[in-house]
Amino acid sequence: MHFDRLKRREFITLLGGAAVWPLIARAQQAEQIRRIGVLMGYTESDPAVQSYLAAFRGTLAKLGWVDGSNLRIELRWGGADPDRIKTFAKELVDLRPDAILGATTPVISALARETRTIPTVFVVVADPSGFFASLAHPGGNITGFTTLDSALGGKWVGLLKEIAPHTVRAALLVNPTTAPLQIYMPSIRAAATSFAVEVSTAPVHARDEIEGVIAAQARNPGGSLIVLPDIFNRRNGDLIVALAARYGVPAIYYNRSFAESGGLIAYSDDFAEQFRQAAGYINRILRGSKVGELPIQQPTKFELVINMKTAKALGLTLSSALLSIADEVIE
């Protein structure tokens, strides 16, 4: 009888363990799910930005982090709206994620105001000064991948002159409140002098001001346009491309998406690559690396995209030398 009582006790204990084990398993599984916030300074409908996000997710998956499995991504779209960006920055920080990815300068500025502790990785930020102690050792909670390359300004002038040799004037289309124009000006001025191109700044603050700038460049022969890195220009990209075509103004853009949608020529660093690299940093942070010890990296990979259809529409004859160095020629 003593043996029977012992067997029953063991059986009850086993039953209790069987009931508790699924709870323990679920708790352990929940503990393994990491959360990251993603705040995009763009609109959700932007196909190029969707491709950047796909590159980010794909790289995370290759590194072992799958959204919906061991990772939860909290995604917010700022839509180039400063108030919306600030609201979502606070919302994401309040969720206390393990790390945050922020895309564009207004986004990282908003996130920097909300947290000094949550590891934050930025992409597509032209001027990250003020967010770090040094490029090699940022310190603090922010690091990332900058688009900062002051020499790009001179390259835009040179490529514009190459593809449209008749260019004698170039307007810099920019919203001064949202774009770091001063970064590019030294190289722009130097190249403008070298190529005998008169450069002028054409500040725009609202969508309805864009047409006046482009129309002014078309009034006399030799007018062209340089569309500078700017979240405002990104948000109004389709309009800028359409107006440049309507007025017959050659234009060079800072992002390949402009050329893909009908713009003449684009030269920039590879933004999709930045998102892939950022996924690598997020992976390292989730696995224990300190964000302040991950260096801020400057662009190393650039791409030149030419829209041949637009060039023909503008009556431009492209040299074989220019075509040979293009990463992509859109027919």
Side-chain angles (χ1 to χ4, degrees):
M1 186 176 295
H2 173 72
F3 178 78
D4 291 339
R5 286 200 303 271
L6 185 60
K7 296 287 283 185
R8 282 198 301 273
R9 189 180 302 120
E10 290 174 351
F11 181 69
I12 292 169
T13 301
L14 286 171
L15 282 177
V20 171
W21 174 248
L23 298 175
I24 295 174
R26 283 196 295 271
Q28 289 176 337
Q29 186 178 18
E31 289 174 357
Q32 293 171 357
I33 297 176
R34 310 299 293 274
R35 176 184 286 183
I36 63 171
V38 176
L39 181 50
M40 306 289 283
Y42 307 103
T43 57
E44 188 174 359
S45 60
D46 189 325
V49 175
Q50 286 290 350
S51 71
Y52 304 158
L53 194 58
F56 176 72
R57 290 179 184 271
T59 303
L60 282 176
K62 289 178 181 179
L63 294 169
W65 301 103
V66 179
D67 189 20
S69 178
N70 62 347
L71 184 71
R72 180 175 177 180
I73 297 178
E74 298 284 354
L75 175 61
R76 304 291 186 274
W77 295 91
D81 182 327
D83 292 333
R84 186 178 176 88
I85 287 171
K86 290 175 184 177
T87 297
F88 282 143
K90 185 178 188 308
E91 184 177 304
L92 285 177
V93 168
D94 287 345
L95 292 175
R96 310 306 299 173
D98 296 287
I100 299 176
L101 173 72
T104 74
T105 302
V107 164
I108 203 64
S109 297
L111 289 169
R113 286 190 293 268
E114 293 296 334
T115 179
R116 294 182 179 274
T117 57
I118 298 175
T120 303
V121 178
F122 63 76
V123 288
V124 198
V125 170
D127 184 7
S129 60
F131 300 133
F132 60 90
S134 71
L135 291 175
H137 302 284
N141 69 308
I142 296 177
T143 189
F145 301 86
T146 176
T147 60
L148 177 60
D149 185 344
S150 58
L152 273 175
K155 292 175 182 176
W156 291 323
V157 175
L159 285 167
L160 184 59
K161 186 70 173 179
E162 174 73 15
I163 200 168
H166 63 277
T167 295
V168 294
R169 300 183 323 281
L172 308 177
L173 186 67
V174 64
N175 184 332
T177 62
T178 57
L181 175 61
Q182 69 282 356
I183 292 174
Y184 305 106
M185 284 311 297
S187 65
I188 286 175
R189 291 194 183 102
T193 299
S194 175
F195 291 104
V197 175
E198 179 186 344
V199 170
S200 62
T201 302
V204 287
H205 299 86
R207 182 179 174 88
D208 59 8
E209 297 175 1
I210 296 172
E211 184 170 4
V213 170
I214 297 176
Q217 290 304 105
R219 289 192 187 108
N220 297 298
S224 295
L225 191 69
I226 299 176
V227 180
L228 292 173
D230 185 350
I231 197 168
F232 172 87
N233 287 339
R234 182 60 180 245
R235 183 173 55 188
N236 294 289
D238 288 344
L239 176 63
I240 295 168
V241 168
L243 288 171
R246 182 191 305 173
Y247 286 98
V249 174
I252 187 166
Y253 303 88
Y254 70 92
N255 189 295
R256 68 173 294 139
S257 63
F258 288 90
E260 290 171 341
S261 62
L264 175 61
I265 183 172
Y267 183 74
S268 70
D269 53 321
D270 188 334
F271 292 104
E273 181 64 18
Q274 283 205 0
F275 278 80
R276 295 186 192 97
Q277 292 175 311
Y281 267 15
I282 294 290
N283 169 63
R284 292 174 65 178
I285 291 166
L286 294 179
R287 299 189 188 281
S289 294
K290 293 182 179 179
V291 62
E293 296 177 358
L294 300 175
I296 291 173
Q297 298 192 38
Q298 295 175 292
T300 57
K301 186 179 179 181
F302 299 86
E303 53 186 2
L304 173 64
V305 181
I306 298 171
N307 191 309
M308 183 65 90
K309 182 178 179 180
T310 301
K312 290 177 180 177
L314 292 170
L316 301 175
T317 301
L318 278 60
S319 69
S320 57
L322 180 61
L323 292 172
S324 68
I325 63 172
D327 295 279
E328 184 176 354
V329 177
I330 299 172
E331 298 290 347

